Amino acid sequence: MNLYIGTDGDGFGAGSLPLGVQSPYGALRLGADTSNTLDIPIVFNHLGGYHYSDTHINLFSHTHMFGAGVQDYGEVGIIPVQIDNNKHLQEMISKRNGYRSEFQHEREIIEPGYYQVYLHTHKINVELTATEQVGIHRYSYDKIKNKQHVILIDNSYTLQADVCNRSHIKIDSINHEITGLIFFQGSLSGRFGGVTTYFVITLNNWSKFGVWNNGQIIEGQNEIDGCSSGAYIILSNEQEQITMYVGISFISIEQARTNLHVQTNMFQSFDSIRTIVQQKWLDEIERFEVSAEWDREAEIKFNTALVHSLSSPTQWDESNGVYLGFDGQIHTKPDYMQHVYTDLSIWDIFRTQIPFIVFHDSQRANDIIHSIMINVEQGSDLPKWPFANGYTGCMIGSHADILISDLIMKKEHDNYLNLTQVIQALRKVANQNQVHDGRFDPSTYIQYEYVPYDMDQQSAPLTLSYAYDDWAIGNVMNAAGLTDEAKEYYRRATWFEHVFDNKTNFFCPKNKAGKFECPTNEIEFLNPFDNRYVEGDAWHYRFFVPHKYSLEYDVNTLNTFFQLGQLWDTTLLPNPYYWPGNEHNLFSVWQFNYANRSDLTQKYARWLLNHAYTIKPDGLPGNDDYGTMSAWYIFTSMGFYPLSGSSTYLIGSPAFDRIKITRNKNECILLINVHNNSPTNIYVERVLLNGKILSTFPFIDHINDLKCSNNNNQSNIQLDFFMSSTPLLLYDK
């Protein structure tokens, strides 16, 4: 694997992935925050803190968003330095990033659960590993005559500038412990009032200490408040290597201390903890095996995407199962849940990353849906994009509907899912004004059967989103035996038709009088910054009706969408046609299957695997968005892809000769053999399921075909793809 993938790219092509360490799904993502030679901040390239093109490490912070297109988190900044004297230290902290260090990629090592880098300026080797809420640092100082070994703790640091509201740090020299907190209001956390991160740091053998405030050091002082403050520790002269433990909590300093003690087993060695953390990663990664002797780069991309997909969402419960709820109270997770999760970038992850978790780890998928329902219990409303312990209102739609439908339609939900509670939450979001994260006024939407443009300029994308959401709600109602109510939601699922303009053949905003407000020329149709659409243009939304199986797609138009999209050779700016880094385009390549042109799905899917994704640091087509793009690559390279909210997968063109997946904690194995595969043999001749022709081609059903305990009592499942260089029309209408 190559964990640099997704750490580079400019503009809309920035992957925004942090580089550092975490446990699978861990809340603590400890990594380097970097800057360029001129120290000119380019925010869009540093949403994850690290950018491959940079030359300097500013410091190491302990929380990060994971590939999102927005900045938040990034607290508890720490960096080791070497100084000549207090004057030298004063110079470092008196200016912005004055303590940063040059580094080189040749002196970096990055593995799941382990990171190492040499700080060239300070002559220090840094090693990092991390449990779910504890970061473990090991610093090895080069021995330089008359140099003092120092650790700087910038407790008021956040990745996003100027969002600290309150910060405090205290040094306990007797117990060799440093405690503190920071309350901040970032791009997302500020939407619900802010987040407080508490920390406890332990290390041994320091000789002196002090604090700073507004760029001035105060030697010997052990406590300071303020959003321009920090602390420093001067190690004993003979201390050339130090191990430091940093526990964080979103509950309290005492809970941070508990996390620290429990998760390090009372301060095991760095190497012991690293071994435990990396074994956790191996336990997850080894459940997936792929091979393609003719395309080793595909194996690298797959394994990297796997690590990225297993890195989120965020495990929110802390040691002993406690967590901070949406009501601001401390709760203990239910016994039937292994973990509570947050940082659910639902607008993105409902399409790929959560269906991938449902596919291979139903226990975790259930925990994620239970977490969403806990949000409803504590905050009264179904969330759109839950972050930490709050509602953010981020993005459009109510796509938690689709996540819930996906789990239920695949019959992977456990007996603890309260369907009565689920149905009440779905009815509310579709028909009432929620206090948090609601839809556009439901009564007006139901009256017009679309969102009127003169009431919301995003009329078309909102209507398209709600149609998909209501289809998902219909699925849940139907599964619950509420067939009449399901029919009503299925009827609402067709309301996308009301914003389709037959003159232009595009989805366009429409006002209350029924007049369309379409773009007026081809340039406007190709403007990804058109505020009538959400993160896209009219072309991007032309095919966003994933749920309407019987829709007769204009194959020529869809083909044009992809042909012209291939000509756009930059990710710096949005592709005005098919944009592989754009969420509502992700399903488009699979829609040829609905128009009797599976060969075009296979052709373009394989092209995207080879061209939109690479093994370079800028090898993602855009923000990874909490594993969304990575999970797209995983599914597409396996040769099938989910229609989220359903039990259906659509067949594409697998990138490997052999794929083996151990699902649901060794419950069963899915083995995929791909015969005659090559860079030119990209078309599927036929598919066998357990030795028999797949009669539903180009569709696979999760329950009937892939579920571990299916009706045929088949414990293991085998798919055989037979490939050809010739496109074939494989079925007739």
Side-chain angles (χ1 to χ4, degrees):
M1 66 183 67
N2 177 5
L3 294 179
Y4 283 125
I5 295 172
T7 63
D8 202 5
D10 296 307
F12 289 88
S16 298
L17 286 170
L19 190 72
V21 292
Q22 69 169 101
S23 292
Y25 306 99
L28 188 141
R29 300 184 178 99
L30 167 60
D33 295 342
T34 62
S35 58
N36 55 37
T37 301
L38 299 176
D39 197 20
I40 299 173
I42 304 174
V43 173
F44 207 74
N45 283 358
H46 294 86
L47 302 176
Y50 182 101
H51 197 263
Y52 185 82
S53 69
D54 287 339
T55 55
H56 289 72
I57 290 175
N58 297 335
L59 45 59
F60 303 94
S61 64
H62 288 71
T63 62
H64 290 90
M65 297 189 74
F66 199 79
V70 66
Q71 223 174 33
D72 212 308
Y73 283 140
E75 317 94 87
V76 194
I78 296 178
I79 189 169
V81 300
Q82 299 203 60
I83 63 170
D84 298 318
N85 47 43
N86 278 5
K87 181 180 179 182
H88 189 189
L89 178 61
Q90 176 65 61
E91 290 174 355
M92 283 186 180
I93 59 94
S94 64
K95 56 185 178 181
R96 179 181 175 273
N97 295 333
Y99 41 68
R100 68 182 187 147
S101 174
E102 287 189 76
F103 78 107
Q104 298 174 340
H105 297 303
E106 293 78 11
R107 298 293 300 271
E108 280 184 304
I109 298 173
I110 177 65
E111 301 169 354
Y114 177 73
Y115 175 76
Q116 177 181 316
V117 65
Y118 182 75
L119 301 181
H120 180 74
T121 301
H122 302 308
K123 311 302 182 188
I124 303 167
N125 191 61
V126 173
E127 297 172 273
L128 306 174
T129 190
T131 68
E132 287 75 10
Q133 278 97 17
V134 179
I136 301 91
H137 305 232
R138 183 162 67 186
Y139 305 145
S140 300
Y141 292 79
D142 288 2
K143 192 170 184 178
I144 304 174
K145 188 176 181 180
N146 297 326
K147 287 284 188 180
Q148 293 179 300
H149 303 163
V150 179
I151 298 173
L152 302 180
I153 304 162
D154 192 340
N155 55 281
S156 59
Y157 173 84
T158 55
L159 182 60
Q160 184 180 2
D162 302 323
V163 298
C164 170
N165 288 65
R166 182 166 63 94
S167 181
H168 176 78
I169 194 166
K170 181 179 181 180
I171 302 169
D172 181 347
S173 59
I174 297 175
N175 295 307
H176 287 87
E177 184 181 79
I178 303 161
T179 59
L181 64 85
I182 177 171
F183 171 64
F184 60 97
Q185 294 178 302
S187 296
L188 291 184
S189 55
R191 299 185 184 194
F192 56 87
V195 169
T196 301
T197 302
Y198 304 88
F199 61 89
V200 174
I201 302 171
T202 64
L203 71 163
N204 293 320
N205 299 322
W206 72 57
S207 60
K208 297 179 182 178
F209 59 86
V211 297
W212 74 77
N213 190 37
N214 293 316
Q216 295 295 317
I217 63 170
I218 310 169
E219 186 177 359
Q221 183 166 315
N222 71 337
E223 195 168 1
I224 193 76
D225 288 296
C227 280
S228 298
S229 63
Y232 64 90
I233 298 295
I234 300 178
L235 305 178
S236 302
N237 289 335
E238 70 276 6
Q239 194 80 1
E240 294 179 13
Q241 186 178 85
I242 187 76
T243 298
M244 180 173 63
Y245 304 82
V246 181
I248 68 162
S249 171
F250 298 98
I251 294 173
S252 66
I253 287 176
E254 185 56 42
Q255 182 61 40
R257 187 178 289 112
T258 298
N259 294 340
L260 193 62
H261 292 171
V262 171
Q263 294 179 27
T264 65
N265 195 16
M266 294 304 292
F267 310 111
Q268 287 188 9
S269 70
F270 181 95
D271 291 325
S272 296
I273 297 172
R274 172 188 173 183
T275 298
I276 293 169
V277 171
Q278 293 203 289
Q279 187 60 53
K280 289 182 181 180
W281 277 108
L282 282 174
D283 290 344
E284 296 284 350
I285 295 167
E286 287 180 343
R287 293 166 58 194
F288 300 84
E289 300 175 24
V290 296
S291 61
E293 292 185 2
W294 49 276
D295 192 354
R296 294 302 187 194
E297 288 191 1
E299 297 177 9
I300 294 171
K301 289 185 284 187
F302 181 94
N303 289 320
T304 305
L306 185 59
V307 171
H308 290 157
S309 182
L310 298 173
S311 297
S312 63
T314 299
Q315 180 184 316
W316 189 238
D317 59 294
E318 303 182 21
S319 295
N320 301 325
V322 295
Y323 67 95
L324 181 64
F326 268 47
D327 55 3
Q329 302 301 308
I330 310 305
H331 300 267
T332 301
K333 71 175 179 62
D335 290 339
Y336 59 81
M337 293 176 67
Q338 291 183 351
H339 297 294
V340 175
Y341 291 92
T342 190
D343 297 348
L344 287 158
S345 179
I346 293 177
W347 188 78
D348 308 285
I349 60 177
F350 89 84
R351 307 163 200 267
T352 59
Q353 200 254 355
I354 300 301
F356 176 60
I357 293 175
V358 173
F359 169 73
H360 77 88
D361 190 349
S362 61
Q363 170 66 56
R364 200 178 306 275
N366 274 279
D367 280 358
I368 290 168
I369 300 304
H370 287 311
S371 299
I372 289 172
M373 298 315 299
I374 285 174
N375 296 162
V376 175
E377 289 176 13
Q378 297 168 355
S380 78
D381 296 324
L382 201 66
K384 232 185 231 185
W385 207 123
F387 181 82
N389 68 311
Y391 294 95
T392 67
C394 191
M395 300 311 295
I396 64 172
S398 59
H399 297 327
D401 309 335
I402 301 171
L403 288 185
I404 294 167
S405 176
D406 197 76
L407 187 71
I408 291 174
M409 292 301 289
K410 288 173 177 152
K411 294 188 177 180
E412 295 286 356
H413 57 295
D414 60 30
N415 294 328
Y416 299 103
L417 185 65
N418 186 332
L419 281 180
T420 300
Q421 181 197 33
V422 166
I423 288 167
Q424 289 172 346
L426 296 180
R427 285 172 177 160
K428 181 179 180 182
V429 75
N431 299 290
Q432 301 175 35
N433 286 311
Q434 294 193 158
V435 175
H436 312 284
D437 287 12
R439 296 186 183 187
F440 167 84
D441 181 45
S443 61
T444 302
Y445 176 66
I446 293 168
Q447 175 188 350
Y448 286 93
E449 300 187 350
Y450 62 90
V451 175
Y453 176 67
D454 31 5
M455 299 184 73
D456 195 306
Q457 65 181 359
Q458 295 170 345
S459 161
L462 286 172
T463 303
L464 291 169
S465 295
Y466 298 155
Y468 190 4
D469 293 332
D470 284 338
W471 168 80
I473 294 175
N475 288 342
V476 176
M477 298 299 178
N478 203 44
L482 303 172
T483 53
D484 289 340
E485 193 168 358
K487 289 178 183 177
E488 173 58 23
Y489 284 104
Y490 287 145
R491 186 180 74 85
R492 288 167 61 161
T494 66
W495 290 356
F496 66 88
E497 296 171 350
H498 300 164
V499 291
F500 188 76
D501 176 36
N502 290 311
K503 292 182 180 179
T504 63
N505 284 323
F506 281 92
F507 291 105
C508 296
K510 187 163 70 171
N511 65 22
K512 289 188 287 188
K515 179 185 176 183
F516 282 103
E517 302 286 347
C518 293
T520 57
N521 55 61
E522 184 62 20
I523 294 176
E524 284 193 17
F525 278 106
L526 295 169
N527 177 15
F529 304 102
D530 188 338
N531 56 20
R532 286 170 289 194
Y533 299 91
V534 177
E535 295 193 3
D537 57 32
W539 268 99
H540 296 147
Y541 280 93
R542 171 64 176 80
F543 307 101
F544 187 61
V545 192
H547 63 287
K548 190 61 176 174
Y549 305 141
S550 61
L551 189 67
E552 297 297 327
Y553 289 102
D554 182 344
V555 175
N556 291 332
T557 304
L558 187 57
N559 196 37
T560 297
F561 186 49
F562 279 90
Q563 286 179 330
L564 296 179
Q566 288 179 322
L567 302 178
W568 193 261
D569 60 0
T570 180
T571 57
L572 178 64
L573 295 173
N575 190 328
Y577 289 99
Y578 178 79
W579 179 8
N582 206 21
E583 276 72 8
H584 38 279
N585 284 179
L586 296 182
F587 193 71
S588 298
V589 69
W590 306 94
Q591 290 174 300
F592 290 107
N593 283 311
Y594 294 133
N596 202 28
R597 290 304 304 272
S598 299
D599 59 307
L600 293 178
T601 288
Q602 295 155 20
K603 171 185 174 181
Y604 291 120
R606 185 69 74 90
W607 187 90
L608 288 165
L609 289 174
N610 294 331
H611 293 85
Y613 292 78
T614 74
I615 62 170
K616 296 179 180 179
D618 64 352
L620 293 181
N623 300 150
D624 197 36
D625 285 316
Y626 280 85
T628 298
M629 298 301 159
S630 292
W632 188 94
Y633 183 90
I634 290 170
F635 269 124
T636 305
S637 66
M638 290 194 302
F640 58 93
Y641 188 88
L643 170 59
S644 185
S646 78
S647 65
T648 299
Y649 300 94
L650 296 93
I651 287 177
S653 178
F656 302 103
D657 299 324
R658 185 176 181 275
I659 304 165
K660 181 181 177 183
I661 303 169
T662 304
R663 300 164 66 199
N664 289 337
K665 305 299 182 186
N666 301 316
E667 182 178 328
C668 74
I669 292 173
L670 172 63
L671 180 62
I672 303 173
N673 294 314
V674 187
H675 307 271
N676 305 319
N677 208 2
S678 73
T680 55
N681 290 359
I682 64 173
Y683 299 104
V684 180
E685 284 186 339
R686 66 187 185 279
V687 177
L688 302 184
L689 173 63
N690 296 325
K692 298 179 180 179
I693 290 289
L694 180 66
S695 60
T696 57
F697 186 90
F699 304 104
I700 302 176
D701 184 73
H702 182 91
I703 299 169
N704 296 327
D705 303 328
L706 299 184
K707 194 169 174 62
C708 291
S709 53
N710 60 22
N711 295 330
N712 298 321
N713 295 317
Q714 183 80 32
S715 58
N716 294 331
I717 301 161
Q718 182 167 321
L719 286 171
D720 286 272
F721 286 77
F722 293 84
M723 309 301 290
S724 169
S725 61
T726 306
L728 300 175
L729 194 63
L730 294 171
Y731 71 103
D732 296 317
K733 294 182 182 177

